[in-house]
Amino acid sequence: MSIKFKVLTVFCFSMLGSFAFAQKNKDTVALKQHNITKDNQDPLPVREKRNSYSDNRKSKKISLDFIGYIKLIGGLDLGNIQNTSEFYPSKIPIYPTLREEKPRSFLDARQTRLAVDGVYEISNADKVHIYVEMDFFNTEAATSFVPHLRHAYGEYKGFLIGQTWSTMKNTSAFPVQVDFEGPNSIAGPRNPMIRYTQSINNKYSFAVALETHNEDYTPYDVNVDDSMAFQYVPDLIVYIQKNGNWGNLRLTGILKNMSYTNASSDAIKSKTSGGAEISGIVKFLNRNKINDDVRFGYTYGFGIAHYINDLRGQGLDAAPDNNGDMQPIPVMGGFIAYKHAWSKTSTSSAVFSFTSIDNSDYVDDDMYDFSTYGAVNYMWSPVDRLDYGVELIYGKNQNKLNDNGVGYRAQFMAIYHL
């Protein structure tokens, strides 16, 4: 074999090898480009936009904070309290069994919370905010640790879309407590919603929201399994708030529509109801960068029991009256809390709260009538990211016959912030 032929042979194989390597490298690059996201069902424009996300992170346009805490609560129930992690006066047994009368102790870490807080900076004055939060308190069963979605929403230019505290809830007026639920009359569950919030000036702001939730009423006896899982229209909630260094004062109104199944047919009917709330926080006794404050709220309306802490889930938005007509139930509730700051690291709060419904037009003699709630506590934060608290809680539940049940709890908590 001539030298020229050998050289030609080596050159051809080298070219083939180079071509094969280049093709393999090309296929690898193409595969990587094809797998920009794990979900290849995304349309191409979405995949292309996500290409820029990593560049945004590098340019500091996107910031993500992972926050939350590890929380342990524990305590001693001196009889009649059946829920070891929450305190609902309206659920205290009025005619307790021997088992229900027994004291019980508990420890529970399911209120541990994790959250992602993100901001995408379009410009210095234009930002998108997202927030997702979960805990593990999804059911009363102490052996269940199913993740539980608390908040999931995005905010842009005053619009909030997702799930968070209802617009009925003035979060700044919520007392500082160990108790997971707080006063029995606190208004506002967490609802899916579309909300718009806007400042009028440096003293006033307002919000308008559409919110949804499952219906919460007592069905007719012939339709005992009836549970409407939809609403004709969302609840409309509006507030106006005055702000200042002294605190805030908020006036909130709600208009809602309730759907139910008629007693004599399968026809779906509806009732319109509504209510109002005044709430706020007033700060005073300012000294050495600490202050005392009073927090309060009063709610009144028809068919809005679902929005009141102690009454939610008990079918008290509406019920058949003495004439057999479905009627929204009048309800009211109020709370007041005084917080005293002992120092920059310790505070105490005293809380009183009540809820009541007008049940005079309804047949059931065992129907809920009135409940009261009281608490006093001491909270201590010895170092940054560490909180301790102890609290004594009292509750009373009363029915239409004026029979009542009373419960007491001594509780503590320890929180380690991430």
Side-chain angles (χ1 to χ4, degrees):
M1 184 181 294
S2 67
I3 294 176
K4 289 183 178 179
F5 182 78
K6 289 181 178 179
V7 171
L8 181 61
T9 302
V10 171
F11 176 76
C12 290
F13 275 106
S14 298
M15 291 297 291
L16 288 171
S18 299
F19 176 78
F21 177 80
Q23 185 64 36
K24 180 180 179 182
N25 191 45
K26 181 179 179 182
D27 292 342
T28 302
V29 172
L31 182 63
K32 288 182 178 179
Q33 290 177 344
H34 182 66
N35 290 318
I36 291 172
T37 69
K38 293 181 180 180
D39 185 2
N40 290 319
Q41 293 179 347
D42 282 347
L44 185 60
V46 174
R47 298 206 301 269
E48 290 175 345
K49 285 182 179 179
R50 287 184 177 173
N51 261 341
S52 66
Y53 286 6
S54 59
D55 297 333
N56 287 333
R57 288 193 189 93
K58 293 176 183 177
S59 65
K60 307 300 183 183
K61 287 186 176 181
I62 288 182
S63 63
L64 288 177
D65 289 330
F66 295 90
I67 57 179
Y69 53 67
I70 297 169
K71 180 178 180 180
L72 177 74
I73 63 168
L76 175 66
D77 291 328
L78 303 178
N80 283 357
I81 309 300
Q82 308 308 302
N83 188 320
T84 57
S85 297
E86 299 169 312
F87 192 96
Y88 292 106
S90 66
K91 295 182 180 179
I92 295 174
I94 294 177
Y95 311 108
T97 64
L98 291 177
R99 178 182 179 87
E100 291 172 335
E101 288 179 338
K102 291 294 183 180
R104 63 190 72 189
S105 60
F106 65 94
L107 294 170
D108 194 341
R110 292 175 298 149
Q111 293 172 23
T112 294
R113 194 172 298 174
L114 298 172
V116 176
D117 193 3
V119 175
Y120 171 57
E121 184 178 316
I122 300 172
S123 67
N124 289 336
D126 199 8
K127 299 178 182 179
V128 177
H129 175 224
I130 63 166
Y131 186 77
V132 180
E133 179 184 287
M134 56 173 282
D135 64 11
F136 303 90
F137 190 74
N138 196 39
T139 174
E140 170 54 17
T143 56
S144 174
F145 299 95
V146 177
H148 171 225
L149 180 66
R150 289 175 55 83
H151 304 275
Y153 61 85
E155 290 180 291
Y156 181 60
K157 290 190 173 180
F159 284 95
L160 181 149
I161 299 176
Q163 174 176 300
T164 188
W165 291 117
S166 170
T167 312
M168 284 288 291
K169 185 169 189 174
N170 186 347
T171 54
S172 61
F174 198 98
V176 179
Q177 289 193 250
V178 174
D179 186 20
F180 188 56
E181 295 300 320
N184 60 343
S185 64
I186 283 282
R190 291 182 296 270
N191 285 338
M193 70 179 68
I194 299 173
R195 180 165 72 203
Y196 178 70
T197 306
Q198 182 64 51
S199 295
I200 301 174
N201 51 41
N202 60 357
K203 290 185 178 182
Y204 290 92
S205 61
F206 73 92
V208 180
L210 297 175
E211 304 186 12
T212 65
H213 56 82
N214 290 340
E215 298 289 13
D216 192 359
Y217 64 94
T218 300
Y220 287 98
D221 290 340
V222 293
N223 297 319
V224 291
D225 294 327
D226 180 37
S227 178
M228 301 298 295
F230 65 87
Q231 295 175 272
Y232 279 147
V233 293
D235 298 342
L236 173 64
I237 304 176
V238 180
Y239 77 67
I240 185 167
Q241 178 171 303
K242 184 174 183 180
N243 310 287
N245 294 330
W246 51 269
N248 67 61
L249 180 65
R250 178 184 293 187
L251 180 62
T252 308
I254 177 173
L255 182 66
K256 66 189 297 284
N257 181 273
M258 182 197 70
S259 304
Y260 64 96
T261 304
N262 190 34
S264 57
S265 69
D266 290 332
I268 305 301
K269 293 192 173 184
S270 64
K271 290 283 185 180
T272 300
S273 57
E277 180 192 41
I278 184 170
S279 60
I281 174 174
V282 178
K283 303 175 183 178
F284 56 94
L285 293 181
N286 297 311
R287 65 217 184 266
N288 299 324
K289 296 182 179 181
I290 61 175
N291 62 265
D292 289 11
D293 64 58
V294 171
R295 307 174 189 214
F296 62 91
Y298 176 77
T299 308
Y300 180 82
F302 296 80
I304 62 169
H306 180 83
Y307 282 89
I308 295 181
N309 195 25
D310 204 24
L311 306 183
R312 190 175 309 119
Q314 300 197 56
L316 293 174
D317 272 358
D321 63 13
N322 291 323
N323 298 321
D325 298 321
M326 184 69 73
Q327 295 293 344
I329 300 175
V331 60
M332 67 176 175
F335 74 91
I336 187 168
Y338 174 66
K339 188 205 76 176
H340 173 69
W342 300 101
S343 68
K344 293 181 180 180
T345 60
S346 63
T347 66
S348 289
S349 292
V351 185
F352 174 78
S353 177
F354 77 95
T355 60
S356 175
I357 68 171
D358 182 356
N359 55 28
S360 57
D361 292 333
Y362 302 90
V363 177
D364 189 358
D365 288 336
D366 291 335
M367 192 174 186
Y368 169 89
D369 181 65
F370 187 82
S371 66
T372 55
Y373 172 99
V376 60
N377 63 42
Y378 177 77
M379 313 290 283
W380 180 45
S381 300
V383 296
D384 187 31
R385 296 179 180 269
L386 180 59
D387 299 320
Y388 295 117
V390 292
E391 189 167 63
L392 298 176
I393 313 173
Y394 156 86
K396 185 176 77 169
N397 179 26
Q398 180 176 299
N399 65 14
K400 191 175 178 181
L401 297 174
N402 292 326
D403 294 333
N404 59 72
V406 177
Y408 301 89
R409 169 176 288 178
Q411 185 168 301
F412 74 88
M413 74 168 190
I415 298 180
Y416 297 84
H417 296 267
L418 300 179

